[in-house]
Amino acid sequence: MILSLICPADHHLLEEAGNALCCARCGVSYPVQDGVARFLATYDPYYEGVYRSQVRFVPRSERPWHVWPLWLINSGYMWAVRKHVPAGAPVVELGGAGGVRYFAQRYRIAACDISRGSLASVEGYEARIQTDASRCIPLADGTVDAVVSSYFWEHMSPEMKAEVLRECWRILRPGGKIVFIHDVQTE
């Protein structure tokens, strides 16, 4: 695994040990089930397995006439990420749901979600992490170029948003980007 996962308790790098990730410092281990690193002990029945749709579109090339559909899909989310994040960059997708096949090919990407069932259906991502991003995104400090999300932000309380942003800033490299697309309340 290229992305370095850390222990939420003490931020020490985790080591792979069979079907678990273990912290040598505090002794805590986190199970890996169906390729999903589990940092949550319980499931949220509201979200568990609900969002499994994967965006399967992958353009034939990066030429403008092949990538323009990215502007249309998911309200331009994929287009915005492509515009602001260079190919090959390490990226974290919050609320990864079923994943984006184009992102899996373009980036070194990790999906973070509270739903293990949704993460189990993600294909091609470097890491799939079941976690509560408002508590800890279990990646080492300053290791990603971007944190992206699609329709994730509006599912959090204002207090949780502050914690998620704190975690995003912690894992972002200097000059890193946050690209979120979200619903806004309107009349």
Side-chain angles (χ1 to χ4, degrees):
M1 186 174 300
I2 297 169
L3 295 172
S4 301
L5 295 178
I6 61 167
C7 178
D10 62 16
H11 287 209
H12 189 72
L13 286 177
L14 295 173
E15 299 170 8
E16 292 184 39
N19 289 333
L21 297 168
C22 299
C23 179
R25 183 178 290 164
C26 71
V28 174
S29 71
Y30 303 92
V32 177
Q33 192 174 31
D34 299 322
V36 177
R38 293 188 51 210
F39 291 88
L40 295 178
T42 60
Y43 296 99
D44 183 323
Y46 180 80
Y47 290 107
E48 187 52 46
V50 173
Y51 300 104
R52 291 186 183 205
S53 62
Q54 181 183 79
V55 178
R56 298 186 186 284
F57 176 77
V58 177
R60 288 179 37 199
S61 77
E62 290 296 317
R63 296 178 184 263
W65 51 87
H66 289 142
V67 297
W68 74 266
L70 298 175
W71 182 73
L72 300 171
I73 299 169
N74 209 5
S75 301
Y77 171 56
M78 294 165 56
W79 181 267
V81 173
R82 179 183 175 275
K83 178 181 176 184
H84 295 286
V85 184
V91 174
V92 170
E93 183 177 26
L94 300 179
V100 177
R101 192 170 284 172
Y102 176 65
F103 290 171
Q105 291 183 4
R106 184 171 170 86
Y107 304 111
R108 295 176 27 232
I109 191 160
C112 290
D113 202 298
I114 61 172
S115 169
R116 191 199 63 77
S118 295
L119 288 165
S121 67
V122 174
E123 298 173 4
Y125 280 38
E126 188 174 308
R128 296 173 293 158
I129 305 164
Q130 182 191 22
T131 190
D132 178 346
S134 70
R135 293 187 186 158
C136 180
I137 301 171
L139 292 168
D141 296 0
T143 56
V144 299
D145 289 335
V147 179
V148 303
S149 76
S150 170
Y151 303 112
F152 160 82
W153 193 241
E154 62 271 20
H155 291 261
M156 294 177 292
S157 67
E159 298 79 23
M160 291 173 73
K161 289 178 181 181
E163 295 302 319
V164 169
L165 285 176
R166 220 177 324 281
E167 280 297 290
C168 290
W169 292 128
R170 183 184 63 74
I171 66 171
L172 280 170
R173 291 181 176 152
K177 309 278 182 172
I178 293 177
V179 181
F180 286 2
I181 185 169
H182 57 92
D183 287 331
V184 294
Q185 184 176 4
T186 64
E187 298 282 328

